[in-house]
Amino acid sequence: MNARVLGWWLLVSGLLAIAGAYLLMGGSETNQAPAVLMIFGVAGTLAGPLLLSTPGRAPSWPLVVAAMTVLVVVLSGFLLALSRPDELPTDRLMLGLPLRAAIVLLGVGLVPALVLPWSYARAVAKDRLDPDSIGEFVEACRAVRAAGRDP
Amino acid sequence: MSGFGGTVALVAAAYFAACVGIATWATRRTASASDFFLAGRGIGIWALAIAAMASSLSGFAFIGGPGLVYAHGTGAVFIVLPAAITATLTAWTVGMRLRLLAEVRGVVTIPEAVGVRYRSPGLRRLAGVAIVVASVGYIATNFLAMGLILEAVLGVDRMLAILIGAAVVVAYSAGGGMLAGIYTDLFQGLIMAVASVLVFIAAAASGGGLAEQSRQILAADPGWFGPWGNYTPVAALSFFFVFGLGTLGQPHLLHKFYMLRDPSRLRWYPAIMTGAMLVTLLLFVGVGIAIKAAVVRGGIPPLARPDDATTTFLRTGTPVLLAAVVMSGVIAAIMSTVNAFLNISAAALTLDIPTAPARDPLRTGRVATLVVALAAIVLALGTTRLVALLGVFGWGLFASSLVPALALGLLWEGATRAGAFASMGLAVAGTLLLETLAHYKVMTLPTGLTASGVMLMMSLLTFLGVSWLTRGSAAGSLDADVRMVMRR
């Protein structure tokens, strides 16, 4: 399975998982199926479009790193928070927060911020975006449009 | 006026004067429609990213958000939790493509990009209508919030407070357009970030420190500090879905990519925007926790209204001058959001919806800004019920109508005009219908199910399904040069 196919699979299955979660919610409070479906859904619908963001060419490795970070952090962070038992006031805290809240706020809420902007900067650094290159690209687009042919 | 109110009023007056100064400078430099709608495509990356942060965080981030955290715990933070992801996601999927479309086709507005993508003036017009309708609601909601704050700070009648705040923001929006908007947003964003950090430090140090606050809350209300707070897991995760993926459809953010002077600088957008968002959202989380802990340990009585969380903390836990700066930060957040929506809706009215181009787009844009502002003021002064409805309607409509047609459409050459029409039509009709039925209690959605979440999911599936069914027409929906932009 190449990265683009994986991107489509994550996006479509993520949307269907969210639809399933919405349909199943409202049942027994002990039924965790809607929550698990929703966790997969939000992870897939964020990671999928990232993998789809280079139409016509294979994703660069920083893009794959970014998409996998989103998928793994969101999926594992929320599943871990869902599976852990309730905390007691005497339990050990993590950076001043109860463990499950820390997993959500500091894990899902901060870890992607350490990886994603760096990955993007690495990937875009290789693109030719100086004024001359952009000018050539614009001219090529105009020529293609005028000729009515596909690139 | 009390000492507290007097200090806040003085700082607010200084803040308004600074905004007027920036706006006057920008108005003198606004000589063309490009200056008015796109700040002359001459904005640097720092100004762009911080302005994007300021316009994306309305007064909700400083007032409503901390109140929600106080009332519902960790689950309320899911509204802002995707901030670590969204800036990079936006830049990677649509940011560079929109910037290049602006170079290749001279695209000025977000509806124009939709029209260019599908070779469809009808889709452009539909997107323009959706933006104007949703923007008027957003602006009216923010005028109302600004009126409430100025009423409390200045002690004036709410109607007069709305008119004072609206007059300042409309004056610089109509005069200096986006050029004034970007530089006032930059100034406002810096105030918001500084205020947020200082308040977070005060909040984390109150009540014996963050760890002690956590133990106090865990002992009194353990569910509050669970991973989903007092929401169900699906409800909290639904926020994450709508405010994560839904960011790709927010036109006031996407529009800013057109303005970047040097496309190569876009590589720093995620780092600056993500950093600015996280810093500015510290107050959102910190005040909610500090006030909840103060209530459970008996330091203050339970709040009559959750929205009082920030003002209560400022009055009881911070020096007066800091409180004054934060209240200016709240006003700044509201004004920057209003300005962004005034600009994009004026652009839609001037450039996207009319069948013939305006003779003088600069003048028409200024008149359109006034028309939208007047409509929003009438709504804000008239009926809060309708304003609340339109405010909720705004975010959901932007997300469900533009994420499929624009964001996915720029990533997928197989997307078709029929798919875009179907998803956008469903988004407009469905969001309005569901929000109206839920608001007037004709139909009650199950706890945790939001109209915006349902419609975003349904419009995306509709877009994919209809495009696949009509895949034979995909090539006819895409010009060759736009295909090149998508593949770049």
Side-chain angles (χ1 to χ4, degrees):
Chain A
M1 186 187 288
N2 68 35
R4 197 163 169 82
V5 173
L6 177 62
W8 276 117
W9 189 86
L10 285 171
L11 175 64
V12 175
S13 60
L15 287 170
L16 293 174
I18 290 170
Y22 284 155
L23 287 172
L24 291 175
M25 66 186 292
S28 161
E29 285 190 9
T30 55
N31 180 11
Q32 294 203 330
V36 172
L37 282 171
M38 198 70 193
I39 290 169
F40 176 76
V42 295
T45 52
L46 287 173
L50 270 174
L51 287 173
L52 295 174
S53 66
T54 53
R57 59 190 159 109
S60 60
W61 69 263
L63 174 57
V64 174
V65 168
M68 288 304 110
T69 301
V70 170
L71 186 67
V72 171
V73 169
V74 173
L75 210 53
S76 62
F78 286 146
L79 284 174
L80 194 59
L82 186 69
S83 64
R84 299 273 312 170
D86 294 354
E87 289 91 357
L88 299 169
T90 50
D91 285 349
R92 207 158 63 93
L93 301 175
M94 180 183 283
L95 296 174
L97 295 169
L99 184 61
R100 292 181 304 161
I103 290 169
V104 168
L105 299 180
L106 306 176
V108 180
L110 283 184
V111 169
L114 305 176
V115 178
L116 269 58
W118 170 82
S119 300
Y120 183 76
R122 285 289 301 235
V124 174
K126 291 180 180 168
D127 289 349
R128 292 171 58 232
L129 293 167
D130 56 281
D132 288 345
S133 300
I134 294 280
E136 285 170 19
F137 177 71
V138 171
E139 284 308 312
C141 286
R142 284 182 184 150
V144 161
R145 189 172 180 223
R149 65 173 193 274
D150 263 352
Chain B
M1 194 178 289
S2 66
F4 178 85
T7 307
V8 173
L10 270 178
V11 173
Y15 160 74
F16 276 131
C19 287
V20 169
I22 294 168
T24 305
W25 167 81
T27 303
R28 285 184 185 151
R29 287 170 54 113
T30 299
S32 67
S34 172
D35 292 337
F36 189 81
F37 293 119
L38 292 175
R41 294 195 207 279
I43 300 301
I45 189 65
W46 280 92
L48 183 95
I50 292 174
M53 175 277 283
S55 60
S56 70
L57 297 180
S58 63
F60 175 78
F62 276 31
I63 299 290
L68 269 184
V69 175
Y70 162 74
H72 297 288
T74 315
V77 183
F78 278 63
I79 292 171
V80 294
L81 204 61
I85 298 169
T86 49
T88 309
L89 180 68
T90 309
W92 229 319
T93 51
V94 291
M96 188 62 81
R97 289 183 178 89
L98 288 174
R99 183 64 186 82
L100 291 176
L101 265 187
E103 291 283 344
V104 171
R105 288 290 189 97
V107 168
V108 171
T109 67
I110 292 302
E112 191 178 1
V114 175
V116 163
R117 163 61 184 85
Y118 298 98
R119 303 172 65 192
S120 170
L123 266 174
R124 176 182 182 180
R125 218 162 280 136
L126 181 58
V129 169
I131 283 177
V132 171
V133 171
S135 294
V136 169
Y138 247 123
I139 296 165
T141 310
N142 277 279
F143 277 161
L144 191 64
M146 188 153 54
L148 290 167
I149 290 163
L150 290 177
E151 178 188 34
V153 170
L154 303 176
V156 295
D157 175 69
R158 184 179 306 172
M159 187 178 287
L160 180 61
I162 289 174
L163 292 175
I164 291 171
V168 174
V169 70
V170 170
Y172 75 71
S173 300
M178 193 42 89
L179 195 61
I182 287 284
Y183 286 106
T184 46
D185 281 358
L186 174 61
F187 170 64
Q188 291 158 352
L190 293 173
I191 290 181
M192 289 160 66
V194 169
S196 177
V197 169
L198 294 176
V199 171
F200 179 77
I201 291 169
S206 67
L210 185 58
E212 190 54 33
Q213 291 173 19
S214 294
R215 293 197 191 287
Q216 290 162 354
I217 296 170
L218 275 177
D221 187 357
W224 189 94
F225 240 143
W228 329 105
N230 295 334
Y231 292 114
T232 63
V234 173
L237 290 161
S238 198
F239 283 146
F240 196 83
F241 171 57
V242 171
F243 289 92
L245 193 61
T247 305
L248 294 181
Q250 300 307 307
H252 56 301
L253 292 179
L254 304 181
H255 184 226
K256 289 189 167 56
F257 287 111
Y258 294 148
M259 302 170 200
L260 183 62
R261 183 171 51 231
D262 177 1
S264 70
R265 307 295 291 169
L266 193 63
R267 67 185 293 219
W268 301 118
Y269 175 84
I272 302 168
M273 173 72 166
T274 305
M277 287 287 284
L278 293 179
V279 164
T280 310
L281 288 169
L282 286 172
L283 183 150
F284 188 112
V285 183
V287 167
I289 295 174
I291 286 292
K292 176 70 178 177
V295 168
V296 299
R297 71 173 175 267
I300 56 171
L303 303 185
R305 294 181 313 169
D307 283 352
D308 292 336
T310 300
T311 49
T312 302
F313 182 78
L314 292 176
R315 284 179 179 276
T316 58
T318 62
V320 175
L321 188 61
L322 174 56
V325 172
V326 175
M327 293 313 287
S328 293
V330 175
I331 300 167
I334 293 170
M335 289 174 71
S336 55
T337 302
V338 167
N339 165 261
F341 282 107
L342 279 176
N343 192 275
I344 59 164
S345 50
L349 276 175
T350 306
L351 305 170
D352 298 316
I353 297 174
T355 47
R359 270 193 207 162
D360 182 352
L362 175 58
R363 188 174 170 189
T364 310
R366 284 179 165 148
V367 172
T369 303
L370 291 174
V371 168
V372 172
L374 278 175
I377 288 171
V378 169
L379 271 177
L381 293 176
T383 160
T384 56
R385 191 175 171 84
L386 186 59
V387 168
L389 173 65
L390 285 174
V392 175
F393 176 65
W395 176 276
L397 178 56
F398 286 143
S400 54
S401 60
L402 291 177
V403 172
L406 180 67
L408 273 191
L410 286 175
L411 302 181
W412 182 31
E413 293 175 15
T416 66
R417 198 176 299 145
F421 262 118
S423 67
M424 207 178 284
L426 177 74
V428 174
T431 308
L432 186 57
L433 182 70
L434 274 184
E435 294 286 10
T436 306
L437 293 179
H439 186 79
Y440 289 104
K441 306 203 185 318
V442 176
M443 178 191 75
T444 308
L445 293 171
T447 307
L449 197 61
T450 59
S452 51
V454 172
M455 290 316 303
L456 177 57
M457 178 267 296
M458 286 181 63
S459 67
L460 279 162
L461 286 173
T462 301
F463 176 74
L464 296 172
V466 174
S467 288
W468 187 77
L469 288 172
T470 57
R471 58 192 178 278
S473 65
S477 299
L478 183 58
D479 279 330
D481 57 336
V482 179
R483 190 190 304 272
M484 282 181 72
V485 169
M486 289 169 62
R487 290 182 177 181
R488 166 102 183 176

